[in-house]
Amino acid sequence: MKKSSTVISVTALVLTAPLVSSAPAAATAYEPDPPTPVAPPAIALPPLPTNMPTLSNVDALRIGPSSVVPCIGVEIRPGQEAADVVANYPTGTTFCFAAGLHRITRMIVPKANQIIGSDEDAVLTGSVPLTGWTATGGDWVVKGVLPAAYGRTGQCEDNIANVCYLREQLFLDGRHLTRVATREKVVPGTFFGDYAANAVFLGDNPAGRSVEMSKTPTAIQSTATGVTVRGLTIEHFATAPQAGAIVLGPKWKVVANDIRWNHAVGAMLVNADGAALERNLIQHNGQLGIGQYSTVNGTISDNQVSNNNTDGFWIADWESGGIKTTWSTGGTVTGNLIQGNLGVGLWSDAYDDGRTFSDNQIVDNAADGIRYEIGRNGVIENNTITGNGLGTGRGSGTSLWDGGGINVNTSTNVQVRNNVVTGNVNGISIQSRTRGSGPWGLNVLRDVSVTGNKVTMKQGTAATGMVQNSGSPIPTGEVVLSTNTYVLDSLMTNRFQKFGQWFTAPQWQKAGLDANSKFTTK
């Protein structure tokens, strides 16, 4: 039976800063500071609070499992082997998971045009219960539950312990536990997996409590076309780094699911031409919320992607955080709320071509809000980007080399227009790095246009500008900044930078940059 849908309210506070017009500014290029007896000094304001509520267009949509349409088809009940049920029916069949917990012990491989869904809040889990615990030396142990030791992949924030790549997560009464590197470090709230001894050590007394360990690598994946997945909760899958709990194929539609607490990536689009990932909650996954690889015209829209990278992958510069796309052509990432992820909010990397990032709310992510890296023909428009890049850790920093609200890195023909960029570690960072060659020849930064944006910079050393490696200089005229509005703490504060030289607002304009832009403290 279909339960009544409810609107999931993801926010409570409206960001009132309007998008600015791309039309030329008034004749006065900048407004003088309000008269004061003494020019105000630059003030290092505290960072914006984490988990700041934000209004997104996602807020008005029905998202997650509560929003699905009724499911009518072959019922799959708890205790059945879902992979076998799906395999026994022809293309085009609809499968409806009944209410309850479904343990997925083998990957579900749908056929073309099959629908896999639920209207009863069904939960698909990749975990297994752990029982038979024994007290030993102040902690508890169970043996014989781990797989054989496997190789290390990925990069961890803690590159000494290097445990982020290990796939088996533990959940105590549904609460995600933190993995530690040695038994000696086991305390309440943590566990240690000893793969050589095939033993798991737990820091909490498990008596009378539920302890589960993620085990199955993937929930749903196939190369069949036209599959729909809707209305499911997909959790606790032991995904390998860079692999998804659900992997979309060509022309798939994955809509209104809750994809959470999986070890690596929540949802991956892989060779998924024409696929759509829409109106999902994608949260608390161990590495990344959404990944995309080698896909033409994929759509990622109206999702809430929040609080991902729970298992400690490298925040500043490895595939962690909200959304990352690579080697893909065309398609859009639009209308998403991307919030509170430990990594980059929205990242295009390695030979994306013709991608559009539009109308997203990107809030409080630890690294860049948007990073467009080694790509071409990109459009970044109408996004609201607030409080990003303020995280700390290995490789994090505050210079333009470390990024900002928007970071365009060694890419060609990128349009950055009509975005609202507020309170990030930096405003807009244009980086030209020595990055070798690829399928399009030498990777260089060329033809970058930054127009019609509203950029507020009032804290720390926040700046907008350009940096370059000596081996990868930016020729004159290849970066155009025009018709932007900059809201500053003071027009006399150094908030602009070009190749290591700092500028105040009047100096920046006198140097021929942002000639038609507006600078204000209001």
Side-chain angles (χ1 to χ4, degrees):
M1 296 292 293
K2 172 73 175 123
K3 295 184 178 180
S4 59
S5 296
T6 57
V7 176
I8 295 178
S9 177
V10 293
T11 61
L13 177 70
V14 177
L15 290 180
T16 56
L19 295 176
V20 296
S21 169
S22 60
T28 302
Y30 61 89
E31 300 175 3
D33 286 338
T36 56
V38 180
I43 300 174
L45 297 177
L48 293 171
T50 58
N51 298 320
M52 184 177 66
T54 308
L55 182 72
S56 168
N57 49 6
V58 179
D59 188 61
L61 295 172
R62 298 177 186 273
I63 62 175
S66 67
S67 68
V68 296
V69 298
C71 190
I72 301 172
V74 176
E75 184 180 46
I76 302 177
R77 297 181 300 278
Q80 289 185 288
E81 183 61 73
D84 289 342
V85 176
V86 173
N88 287 333
Y89 284 83
T91 60
T93 302
T94 296
F95 302 93
C96 302
F97 279 89
L101 186 68
H102 297 256
R103 295 200 182 275
I104 306 302
T105 62
R106 290 190 289 107
M107 183 175 72
I108 298 168
V109 183
K111 301 181 179 72
N113 302 316
Q114 288 184 337
I115 298 173
I116 299 176
S118 177
D119 59 8
E120 297 185 338
D121 298 330
V123 177
L124 276 57
T125 181
S127 66
V128 295
L130 297 187
T131 59
W133 295 92
T134 302
T136 173
D139 47 32
W140 288 262
V141 64
V142 63
K143 296 184 177 181
V145 297
L146 290 172
Y150 44 86
R152 181 181 300 161
T153 57
Q155 297 189 45
C156 305
E157 179 67 23
D158 180 352
N159 62 344
I160 305 300
N162 268 331
V163 296
C164 69
Y165 75 97
L166 294 167
R167 305 165 196 172
E168 289 71 36
Q169 299 168 301
L170 251 64
F171 300 88
L172 178 65
D173 293 334
R175 177 170 60 94
H176 174 267
L177 300 179
T178 300
R179 181 190 289 274
V180 294
T182 63
R183 182 181 172 184
E184 290 71 26
K185 294 183 180 297
V186 173
V187 295
T190 71
F191 76 99
F192 167 61
D194 185 338
Y195 289 81
N198 197 351
V200 174
F201 296 87
L202 181 66
D204 298 87
N205 187 344
R209 308 178 75 176
S210 167
V211 185
E212 302 232 343
M213 183 184 74
S214 57
K215 182 176 181 180
T216 306
T218 308
I220 304 171
Q221 180 178 3
S222 83
T223 58
T225 62
V227 173
T228 297
V229 179
R230 66 190 187 209
L232 300 171
T233 294
I234 299 172
E235 66 178 22
H236 300 182
F237 284 84
T239 45
Q242 298 182 299
I246 178 170
V247 183
L248 285 68
K251 298 184 180 179
W252 281 40
K253 186 170 184 179
V254 174
V255 59
N257 302 281
D258 187 353
I259 305 171
R260 66 193 189 191
W261 294 116
N262 302 290
H263 171 61
V265 187
M268 280 288 297
L269 292 78
V270 179
N271 299 316
D273 296 357
L277 183 69
E278 301 174 347
R279 300 192 353 254
N280 300 281
L281 298 169
I282 302 178
Q283 54 189 333
H284 301 288
N285 294 287
Q287 175 203 336
L288 185 70
I290 300 170
Q292 177 173 309
Y293 170 76
S294 188
T295 291
V296 177
N297 293 330
T299 300
I300 300 171
S301 63
D302 302 322
N303 303 284
Q304 179 181 328
V305 184
S306 59
N307 301 300
N308 296 289
N309 191 15
T310 59
D311 282 354
F313 288 86
W314 188 16
I315 292 169
D317 206 28
W318 198 74
E319 194 166 303
S320 66
I323 302 174
K324 185 172 184 181
T325 82
T326 62
W327 291 89
S328 293
T329 302
T332 61
V333 179
T334 184
N336 302 282
L337 173 62
I338 307 169
Q339 183 171 20
N341 300 285
L342 289 177
V344 177
L346 173 53
W347 188 356
S348 169
D349 187 20
Y351 310 110
D352 271 355
D353 190 355
R355 305 279 284 137
T356 296
F357 297 164
S358 66
D359 300 286
N360 300 287
Q361 292 270 356
I362 303 176
V363 182
D364 280 348
N365 300 285
D368 296 324
I370 294 178
R371 184 182 297 178
Y372 203 95
E373 182 175 3
I374 316 181
R376 66 182 185 185
N377 305 323
V379 176
I380 302 169
E381 64 181 0
N382 300 329
N383 302 284
T384 298
I385 304 164
T386 306
N388 300 281
L390 302 174
T392 59
R394 185 165 65 93
S396 298
T398 60
S399 77
L400 287 179
W401 287 110
D402 299 300
I406 298 175
N407 172 4
V408 180
N409 178 347
T410 320
S411 295
T412 300
N413 187 26
V414 180
Q415 312 297 311
V416 181
R417 61 196 185 209
N418 300 339
N419 302 283
V420 175
V421 183
T422 305
N424 303 282
V425 65
N426 288 299
I428 299 175
S429 172
I430 310 298
Q431 303 178 357
S432 180
R433 297 176 180 257
T434 305
R435 301 301 299 271
S437 298
W440 308 324
L442 186 66
N443 295 313
V444 294
L445 187 132
R446 297 288 187 274
D447 192 17
V448 176
S449 174
V450 181
T451 60
N453 303 283
K454 183 174 183 179
V455 183
T456 299
M457 299 180 291
K458 293 187 175 185
Q459 63 184 37
T461 57
T464 285
M466 292 168 270
V467 290
Q468 63 182 21
N469 286 147
S470 59
S472 187
I474 304 173
T476 300
E478 291 293 345
V479 177
V480 175
L481 300 99
S482 179
T483 64
N484 300 295
T485 296
Y486 297 98
V487 182
L488 311 173
D489 46 341
S490 167
L491 299 181
M492 296 299 108
T493 302
N494 290 327
R495 292 291 180 203
F496 301 90
Q497 189 184 140
K498 182 179 180 182
F499 310 150
Q501 181 179 354
W502 286 92
F503 299 83
T504 65
Q507 291 169 342
W508 184 248
Q509 197 164 49
K510 186 175 180 180
L513 298 154
D514 275 302
N516 296 317
S517 295
K518 179 179 180 180
F519 303 78
T520 181
T521 58
K522 298 179 181 178

